Amino acid sequence: MSISQAVSDKSSSEYAIEKRLQIEYLINPASVLPEGSDVVKGLSQSQKTLPPRYFYDDKGSQLFEQICELPEYYPTRTEAAILRERAAEIARMTGAGEIVELGSGSSTKTRILLDAYEKLSYPLRYLPIDVSGGILESSARQLLADYPSLQVHGLVSTYELALQRLKSAWQSQSRTICFLGSTLGNLNPQECDVFLSQITAAMEAGDYLLLGFDLQKAKDLLSSAYNDSQGVTAAFNLNMLHHLNRRFEGNFDTTQFEHWAFYNESGHQVEMHLRSTRSQTVHLRALNLTVDFAPGETILTEISRKFDINTMKQELQSRGLVPLQVWTDINQWFGLLLCQLQT
Ligand code: AVJ
């Protein structure tokens, strides 16, 4: 088929979508930098660790969507319910402006905000940021089909690169940066510190940050949220090894590792590990890496910190991010906070 034929086959609505869509790759579509140096570093420490972003290959992103539907995994539905209840209020508070989302994934929760902005007849400009280009592009196209006046400028990028790029991209109106789902909880206090500095550096005075974060709660609830009865979380955790095998020519035998997750009460964080069930040696050829495991030795694949509302408010306030409002659910399981960079 010639190019002109291909074009004439497209319907006018598809043209309209192309005109309203811009996607920029700040990372190579086939890979995410740094290419494996973080794996080498993590697996060379005495407590072996792997960065949580290696969960999210296509299969892992799919498994995560399944986790969000599990009866035991309360965060997604709790946050969505708070958003549904408060979106109109949030839209009124931020006024018209661009919506930026870090870790946009399937953009399901974003629709709640877009609906509220649309009701107030605000122009809809959305800037999703995600490391997974496939998910970003397909959800952007779906959004454009559903919101006829929406403009999307997506960045396929790590958070760090995207925040640097934000400074120069698409300025003019105020921005609301959304960081939902308690992804902040994956960062340890030092990483969190660096990350919040990068966010404020990317913001202009008067810009907003909408932050979703999981709250401290009874140990049993947390433990079952990360040890679901259907084993989806275990599959999600183990999938990281499949991903590394494929990506770095590894030979992890996933039958020789098991999922282990628990709530570390004094540290206020869920820890997720993969535990080696025996003594074994693993090679990752593309990284020229050999790793020995003792029986019972673990790889820490994720921390998921659980926060306290007042501590969070103080932390943000001390960085010039002035808390305007915190919303929560009836059980106080999850928090949603809107703050504004000091003017
Ligand atoms: C998407 C990082 C917020 O920490 O709860 C779900 C990921 N891990 N089940 C979380 C996750 C295990 C999730 N975050």
Side-chain angles (χ1 to χ4, degrees):
M1 199 199 291
S2 74
I3 287 173
S4 61
Q5 266 176 318
V7 168
S8 65
D9 282 341
K10 285 197 170 185
S11 69
S12 59
S13 71
E14 277 177 85
Y15 279 125
I17 285 178
E18 296 311 321
K19 275 195 195 142
R20 294 181 285 125
L21 176 65
Q22 189 186 344
I23 294 185
E24 254 183 271
Y25 279 81
L26 303 188
I27 51 177
N28 181 324
S31 67
V32 176
L33 296 168
E35 202 42 90
S37 61
D38 48 359
V39 172
V40 176
K41 185 168 172 244
L43 292 180
S44 307
Q45 293 165 358
S46 63
Q47 166 63 69
K48 296 179 169 67
T49 65
L50 284 168
R53 64 185 181 77
Y54 287 105
F55 285 131
Y56 302 98
D57 62 350
D58 286 343
K59 174 77 185 165
S61 296
Q62 236 174 292
L63 286 165
F64 180 66
E65 294 295 317
Q66 260 177 269
I67 288 176
C68 294
E69 307 281 317
L70 292 169
E72 296 97 332
Y73 194 73
Y74 62 85
T76 312
R77 79 176 62 89
T78 309
E79 184 181 45
I82 302 170
L83 266 174
R84 271 192 292 274
E85 199 176 336
R86 305 299 183 174
E89 199 176 339
I90 294 167
R92 278 197 305 274
M93 289 175 80
T94 66
E98 191 172 279
I99 298 176
V100 178
E101 184 172 21
L102 295 166
S104 47
S106 63
S107 296
T108 310
K109 283 175 288 195
T110 320
R111 289 169 177 264
I112 304 169
L113 277 177
L114 290 174
D115 290 342
Y117 272 55
E118 194 175 48
K119 269 211 181 104
L120 294 174
S121 310
Y122 293 166
L124 300 179
R125 310 231 284 186
Y126 177 48
L127 217 153
I129 296 162
D130 208 282
V131 283
S132 170
I135 283 200
L136 187 140
E137 187 164 342
S138 61
S139 38
R141 285 177 186 280
Q142 199 51 59
L143 285 174
L144 288 164
D146 297 343
Y147 297 84
S149 70
L150 177 68
Q151 301 219 25
V152 176
H153 182 165
L155 299 178
V156 180
S157 174
T158 61
Y159 297 152
E160 189 176 9
L161 287 172
L163 288 169
Q164 286 168 18
R165 177 76 181 86
L166 270 188
K167 269 272 162 213
S168 55
W170 251 25
Q171 296 280 27
S172 80
Q173 346 170 40
S174 82
R175 279 184 173 139
T176 299
I177 299 185
C178 303
F179 194 40
L180 302 176
S182 203
T183 305
L184 189 73
N186 279 176
L187 307 179
N188 68 35
Q190 296 90 292
E191 292 166 338
C192 192
D193 211 62
V194 171
F195 182 70
L196 288 175
S197 308
Q198 289 167 347
I199 287 194
T200 50
M203 293 168 82
E204 306 258 0
D207 283 352
Y208 299 90
L209 173 67
L210 182 66
L211 188 65
F213 53 103
D214 202 6
L215 299 173
Q216 293 164 12
K217 60 182 62 63
K219 195 181 166 118
D220 292 356
L221 285 166
L222 284 165
S223 177
S224 46
Y226 293 83
N227 289 286
D228 66 277
S229 61
Q230 296 170 54
V232 182
T233 310
F236 173 73
N237 197 6
L238 284 160
N239 178 64
M240 191 189 282
L241 301 182
H242 290 293
H243 182 196
L244 294 184
N245 280 348
R246 196 179 59 246
R247 189 150 174 169
F248 301 115
E249 297 173 71
N251 67 346
F252 279 105
D253 177 351
T254 56
T255 65
Q256 306 298 338
F257 286 88
E258 58 190 21
H259 169 70
W260 177 43
F262 63 95
Y263 185 49
N264 170 340
E265 261 182 307
S266 57
H268 303 294
Q269 61 184 25
V270 170
E271 292 183 17
M272 211 156 81
H273 296 250
L274 288 165
R275 186 197 280 125
S276 171
T277 54
R278 60 174 173 105
S279 162
Q280 54 183 321
T281 299
V282 173
H283 304 282
L284 291 153
R285 251 182 52 177
L287 299 176
N288 198 15
L289 181 69
T290 300
V291 192
D292 293 316
F293 289 89
E297 188 177 356
T298 72
I299 310 171
L300 175 64
T301 49
E302 178 177 62
I303 60 167
S304 189
R305 293 167 66 207
K306 305 304 165 189
F307 299 96
D308 164 78
I309 289 179
N310 285 321
T311 315
M312 181 64 85
K313 282 165 86 173
Q314 284 160 19
E315 171 74 36
L316 295 167
Q317 179 83 56
S318 74
R319 298 171 167 279
L321 290 164
V322 182
L324 303 179
Q325 185 80 56
V326 188
W327 299 276
T328 183
D329 54 291
I330 190 155
N331 298 311
Q332 305 230 46
W333 280 354
F334 203 91
L336 188 66
L337 187 155
L338 182 68
C339 53
Q340 184 174 32
L341 188 63
Q342 219 154 41
T343 47

